[in-house]
Structure formats: structure tokens, C-alpha cells
Amino acid sequence: MKKIMLKSICALAVVSMAVLVACSQNIFNFYKSESAKWQPNFDADGYWNTEQFKVKINDDNSYAIYAKNSVYGAYLAGRVAHLRQDFDQAAEYYKIVIEKDPDNVKVNRSIYVILASLGQIDQAAVYAQKEIDNQESESVAPLILAVKNFVNEDYAVARKNVDLIKEKVHKILINPLFDAWSFAGENNEKAAIASIDKITNDAGLASLKLFHKAMIYDYLNNKTKADETYETLVKKHPQDITFRYLEIITDFYVRNGDKEKAHKIFSHYHDNSMLALLLKSIDSKINANDINSPAIINTPQKGLAEALFNIGTLFRMSSGGTEFAQIYTAAATYLNPDYDISKIALANILEELGLLNEANRYYMQINKESGSYFIAKIKLIENYNTLKDYVSAEKTLRKLLKEHPDNTQLLNDLGDIMVNQNKFNDAIKIYLHAINSMKENRTDNWPIFYSLAVAYDKNKQPEKAEEYLQKALELSQRNPNILNYLGYSWLNNNKNTDEAVHMIVEAYNQYPYEGHIIDSLGWAYFRLGNYKKAIEYLERASDINPGNAVISDHLGDAYWF
């Protein structure tokens, strides 16, 4: 299935968004610009002291402030939290500043931007309104208020707030979508469709306009026009049909008693293996749902959520637009708490920012009935591993394995978690279970044999390790990492020395920029007595991986000799 890329939207809006992005840098990077030249210095007791305040960061990342000036102390504590990307804590300290210094525009702006980016629109609206009242607003404050108005069904007020945003990209795309769904909320079909037509006539936006028109017709119970519009969308823009489009379109036909047509549309996209689980969920819904099933988009709020998600996707594709993408996607999730695709997208953005715990909050909200459930659990496990929270990773993975007991990839991942906890016997049993669950030893299964070999090696069972390394080498068609591992192992054990050196050279010729492979080549030269050549490669390996203790040890030995 081809994903909608909106390339022409980006080309069209690049100049307009440059203004917005520049604004976002001022808002979101309020303190980031100083981070390179300014870092807090903590004393041995964990305190950061200045003449005006003292802050202690505890082991659990909580903060304690001791200050001569509590406002200044809270401000600096907020800045520390902001630099550490602890946004919840930063917002709390900035609130203290605003209580004492209500006219501080920059801190007030930081509060509502942080809160909005975390999806806390209700709280963000309080501070956004303060900025509007002071007539100091930019694009984010009116957006937050308009979203809040929408939830309260104050559609006319929402339009008024959105109209405060004057940037070109809003006028040609965002504001018309907002207005269209607000008019739909007032049952004004004519005005809603007219608003969609105000979106700039660009080829890249044609499918987006048709999609929202069709959803509005469907919501307003104009089934004939909805059917015509969906048909046009599918026939003229098949390459733009995303998973979400397909989900909503097939839902429309099922509710209107035409499952045959729903299956016909779905059949064009069912063979994409990468989206197999998601697509399977659509097929299940087509079979299970009937004319009495509620529509996916059954409120104007959910319709606007689709629009904001589309806009967030646009910003995410633009250079420097991640912060705005986060706010629009978070707003979409706020408008439609059941919008799992939006939650997944928001979690992805948070991951890119390094906020893995925050991302996990959204992954954990995906329920079992969702087509995104399996993907969300896999991402959750990956994040736990990155955070070295192996206990949570193992617990989550074992629950998932109860639903998919012979899933080779899940078993392999569980084995890796056991290795990370130095539970090598457990890892070996799990890897063997994974191998026994395979229907055949295909070439793409080599990583499991490799993982099993490594587990045997770490468990001090070299013969078994070599057996499975050879099998992995055969299946992978001489993967350089396996060549390097086996060659290095033989070299260190004075076994098959000539073949070991040839393997390492072969690995290096395939991956000449990998630090661990360069280290093996340097070590091979060391073992052959060519210390000058060994130092040349070991220094390169050390430059690539300066914190690797093994490489440093090898280089030290080479220098010594």
C-alpha cells in the first residue's frame, strides 16, 4: 500500500511554514539555544548553588528548591527541567513563576506550549487565553483555544479564534478544515463544503479535500453525496489511500449494507505484508460490523481530529516542524481519545525527541481490539529495552507471547532480553523454542541462530556456539557480523588462524566503517606481530567507539608492544 506523502503540500507551503517553524524555534527552544554554553554544576551533595538559589535533583528526578528569591529559583529550576526534557516538571515550576509574575509573556508561552505538546489541552487553554487577552498571541495560542472551543461545541467561537492566525499555511489549508468541521457541527452542509473548497487548488491536496468532504457528507447523513465522493477518491487517487482512509471508507459501505463493495475496495490493498496485521483488522471489521454499527467519524470533534492529524503529518515532513507536528497530533488525540493511529504517531514523535517514558504512556493506551495493538506492544518493549528496564520488557513480552505462543520474532526478542539480564540458560531454551517453532530454516531466520550462538558463547559452551555460528553463516550467506564474530573467536583461541584472519578481512571488506570489525582486523594484525599496522586500525576503531573498553585494551596492548 502506498502511503500518502503530501509532497506537493510541502512544496506549496514551504515558505509559509518557514515563518511558523521560526516561531516554533523561539517557543520550543526557549532554553535550548543556551544549553551548549550553559550547564548546571552540581556539588558532591547533589546541589546546584548560585548566589540567589539552590536546587537539588534527587535520584528519582524530583526537585527541591532553596532560594532567596522563590520566583527566580522556580524559574531556574524550570529551566533545568526544560533542558533535561522533563517537561511535566518544567511546566510545574513555570506555573510558580506566573503566579508571582503574571505578565511574564515568555514563561507563560512556554507553559501552554509544553502542556499542549503533551496533550493537556484543558490546562494549556488557561495560559493560552491569558496571552490572547494580552493581545500578544502567535499561532499556537489561538489553536489551543479553538480546539478547546470545539470540545465544548462552541463552533462559532472556535472559528473566531482560528481566524486570529494569519500565516499563509493556515489560510490555504488549516483554517478551512477547521471551519468546515465547525459548520458540520452546526449541521450547515453548504457552508462546510464551501469551506473545504477554499483549500488551495493543488494536486497534492485533492485526495485530502475529497476525503474530508465525504466524511462531512456521511456525518450529515447525505449518503448519496458521500458515496459519490468516496468513489471519486478511490478511482482517481488510489495511490493516496492510507490505512486510515481505507478503514473509514470501508466502514461507510458496511454501515450502508454494501459489504461486497467494502471487500472489493479492501481487496486492492490486502497483500501488503508490512501492514498485514493492520489490514487484517479492517477485514475483521468488515465481516463483523453491520448497518447498526456506529460510524468511526460520528462527531465533528472526531472529524476535526482527522484534519489535525493530517496537518501534523504535513509539519512532521517539513524541516524543523517536529514541535508543531507534536502539538497538532496531540490535539487530534485530545479531540478523539479513541484515535489509536494518532496515539501511535504521537508516541513516535516523542521517541524521536528521546522521551521514551512519555511515548510509552501512549503505547500503553492501545487496547487489544485495535489493529495497532501488536505494533504498540512491540514498540513498548523496544523502549523498555532501550531504557534498560528489562523486567518491564520481559513482563510485557511474556503477556504478548500468550496470545502468539509460537511467534518466532517474539521468542527471539525474549531471548535477547534474557541475554541482557545475563540469564544465558534461559535465553538458550527460548532461542531453541524459536528455532523448533520454525516451519523451515529460511535465509531470513539466520539472526535467531546467531543469537543462540552468542548465548552459548557467553554461557561458555564454545562447541555449541561454533555449531550455530556456522549455521547462521550459511543461512545469512556470509553476513559480515557473523564472519567477524567467528573469526575473532577462532583468533583468540588460536584455532584455524589463517581462516580466521581471512574471515575478518572479508567482513572488513563488506563493512569497512564498523568499529568492532575494524578492531578485529587490528587485533588480527597484533596477533600476527604487525604492531604498526595493528595500531593504525585500532586507533581508527577507538575513534569510532571511544568508550569501548575492549578496543581500548587492544590499543593499549599494541602501544605497549
Side-chain angles (χ1 to χ4, degrees):
M1 181 189 298
K2 298 183 179 179
K3 295 183 179 179
I4 185 168
M5 295 302 294
L6 297 177
K7 290 181 180 178
S8 55
I9 310 177
C10 291
L12 175 70
V14 66
V15 176
S16 301
M17 286 204 299
V19 177
L20 282 173
V21 169
C23 177
S24 82
Q25 299 305 311
N26 291 332
I27 298 168
F28 288 92
N29 298 330
F30 183 44
Y31 303 121
K32 285 183 182 178
S33 61
E34 300 181 28
S35 62
K37 63 184 179 181
W38 176 90
Q39 290 292 340
N41 294 314
F42 296 93
D43 61 25
D45 296 321
Y47 287 94
W48 173 31
N49 291 286
T50 75
E51 294 180 358
Q52 299 190 19
F53 72 97
K54 179 167 68 175
V55 177
K56 182 176 183 180
I57 300 179
N58 303 314
D59 292 338
D60 62 356
N61 280 327
S62 61
Y63 295 76
I65 303 177
Y66 308 88
K68 297 176 182 178
N69 183 331
S70 62
V71 177
Y72 188 74
Y75 167 71
L76 268 298
R79 185 161 81 167
V80 171
H82 211 152
L83 285 166
R84 290 163 62 90
Q85 294 189 316
D86 185 350
F87 296 120
D88 285 323
Q89 195 75 53
E92 290 306 310
Y93 279 111
Y94 290 154
K95 288 176 185 178
I96 295 172
V97 175
I98 289 299
E99 286 177 9
K100 304 291 185 180
D101 183 13
D103 296 326
N104 193 317
V105 175
K106 287 184 177 180
V107 173
N108 186 73
R109 187 169 298 173
S110 293
I111 294 173
Y112 69 68
V113 168
I114 288 172
L115 292 172
S117 67
L118 296 174
Q120 299 173 28
I121 302 297
D122 290 330
Q123 292 186 53
V126 175
Y127 298 92
Q129 185 63 61
K130 185 186 292 286
E131 180 154 305
I132 296 290
D133 292 342
N134 291 333
Q135 298 184 334
E136 299 243 7
S137 70
E138 37 63 59
S139 61
V140 178
L143 170 70
I144 292 169
L145 291 177
V147 170
K148 176 67 175 174
N149 300 146
F150 225 90
V151 168
N152 293 334
E153 300 184 4
D154 295 331
Y155 301 120
V157 179
R159 288 194 295 272
K160 181 179 178 182
N161 278 319
V162 164
D163 196 50
L164 294 173
I165 309 173
K166 303 301 182 183
E167 285 89 350
K168 184 178 178 182
V169 70
H170 275 269
K171 294 298 183 184
I172 65 176
L173 174 61
I174 300 174
N175 292 17
L177 281 171
F178 235 104
D179 290 350
W181 281 105
S182 72
F183 284 123
E186 296 172 344
N187 294 312
N188 189 339
E189 180 185 296
K190 184 177 179 181
I193 300 304
S195 293
I196 295 290
D197 287 333
K198 288 180 182 177
I199 295 174
T200 185
N201 288 321
D202 184 270
L205 292 173
S207 59
L208 183 71
K209 291 167 73 172
L210 286 169
F211 183 54
H212 283 275
K213 276 186 179 181
M215 285 190 292
I216 287 171
Y217 282 132
D218 185 14
Y219 170 71
L220 295 175
N221 209 33
N222 189 339
K223 305 303 182 185
T224 301
K225 293 294 290 185
D227 178 28
E228 291 174 1
T229 310
Y230 278 134
E231 271 203 350
T232 303
L233 173 60
V234 171
K235 288 181 179 179
K236 291 190 174 181
H237 306 280
Q239 74 283 356
D240 290 346
I241 303 298
T242 66
F243 167 79
R244 185 59 170 178
Y245 280 28
L246 191 61
E247 186 177 33
I248 290 173
I249 293 169
T250 54
D251 171 71
F252 168 78
Y253 286 109
V254 168
R255 286 184 290 105
N256 284 277
D258 198 346
K259 283 191 177 184
E260 183 180 346
K261 190 167 187 177
H263 276 296
K264 183 178 180 181
I265 293 170
F266 170 79
S267 66
H268 290 289
Y269 302 97
H270 76 282
D271 59 346
N272 188 306
S273 59
M274 290 184 67
L275 294 176
L277 284 168
L278 288 173
L279 292 171
K280 185 179 179 181
S281 72
I282 291 181
D283 194 32
S284 298
K285 287 178 183 177
I286 293 174
N287 293 324
N289 290 357
D290 56 37
I291 58 175
N292 296 315
S293 301
I296 293 175
I297 307 302
N298 57 4
T299 67
Q301 288 75 18
K302 290 181 179 179
L304 182 61
E306 298 295 326
L308 296 189
F309 179 76
N310 297 149
I311 294 163
T313 302
L314 167 61
F315 275 116
R316 195 173 180 188
M317 292 167 59
S318 66
S319 177
T322 302
E323 292 90 350
F324 273 103
Q326 184 179 352
I327 284 183
Y328 277 94
T329 308
T333 305
Y334 169 80
L335 284 162
N336 183 1
D338 298 324
Y339 197 173
D340 288 339
I341 294 174
S342 181
K343 290 177 184 177
I344 295 285
L346 183 55
N348 289 164
I349 294 171
L350 291 166
E351 283 177 337
E352 291 173 7
L353 296 171
L355 305 175
L356 301 188
N357 285 317
E358 287 78 1
N360 284 352
R361 292 178 194 172
Y362 287 97
Y363 287 134
M364 286 188 284
Q365 292 176 28
I366 309 300
N367 61 52
K368 285 187 178 182
E369 287 69 39
S370 171
S372 305
Y373 175 75
F374 188 86
I375 294 170
K377 288 300 180 185
I378 293 297
K379 295 294 292 182
L380 182 64
I381 293 162
E382 288 177 3
N383 287 344
Y384 281 141
N385 279 327
T386 302
L387 293 165
K388 297 185 178 180
D389 184 358
Y390 302 125
V391 173
S392 296
E394 180 183 348
K395 183 179 178 181
T396 305
L397 192 45
R398 286 191 183 279
K399 284 183 179 179
L400 199 57
L401 271 166
K402 288 181 179 179
E403 301 162 25
H404 308 274
D406 293 324
N407 186 293
T408 304
Q409 185 58 55
L410 294 182
L411 289 166
N412 188 48
D413 291 344
L414 182 58
D416 291 346
I417 292 171
M418 295 298 103
V419 169
N420 289 334
Q421 297 178 86
N422 296 321
K423 298 178 180 178
F424 303 120
N425 282 323
D426 291 339
I428 289 167
K429 292 177 183 177
I430 293 166
Y431 289 135
L432 287 171
H433 179 187
I435 290 171
N436 292 332
S437 298
M438 295 177 186
K439 295 180 179 179
E440 57 180 321
N441 292 335
R442 302 194 313 268
T443 55
D444 58 347
N445 286 329
W446 68 262
I448 300 176
F449 290 88
Y450 179 51
S451 296
L452 176 59
V454 172
Y456 272 127
D457 186 41
K458 292 182 181 293
N459 207 40
K460 306 199 182 306
Q461 295 176 260
E463 294 81 8
K464 282 288 187 180
E466 184 175 330
E467 175 189 342
Y468 283 98
L469 280 171
Q470 293 278 22
K471 183 65 177 177
L473 191 63
E474 176 189 345
L475 286 172
S476 69
Q477 300 177 347
R478 302 183 73 79
N479 178 277
N481 284 312
I482 304 173
L483 285 166
N484 179 69
Y485 196 104
L486 183 56
Y488 180 82
S489 176
W490 278 345
L491 197 64
N492 268 1
N493 290 296
N494 294 313
K495 182 179 180 180
N496 304 330
T497 304
D498 289 343
E499 188 176 354
V501 172
H502 283 299
M503 280 184 166
I504 292 169
V505 171
E506 184 181 346
Y508 174 77
N509 287 336
Q510 292 186 59
Y511 283 0
Y513 304 108
E514 289 290 335
H516 65 289
I517 293 178
I518 298 171
D519 168 66
S520 296
L521 184 57
W523 192 238
Y525 277 116
F526 175 87
R527 297 296 296 268
L528 294 171
N530 189 340
Y531 305 123
K532 184 177 180 180
K533 204 72 174 173
I535 288 171
E536 176 187 335
Y537 285 100
L538 290 171
E539 284 182 338
R540 279 180 55 196
S542 183
D543 287 341
I544 294 171
N545 296 321
N548 188 299
V550 173
I551 295 174
S552 297
D553 185 55
H554 288 169
L555 182 57
D557 286 346
Y559 283 149
W560 178 260
F561 276 81

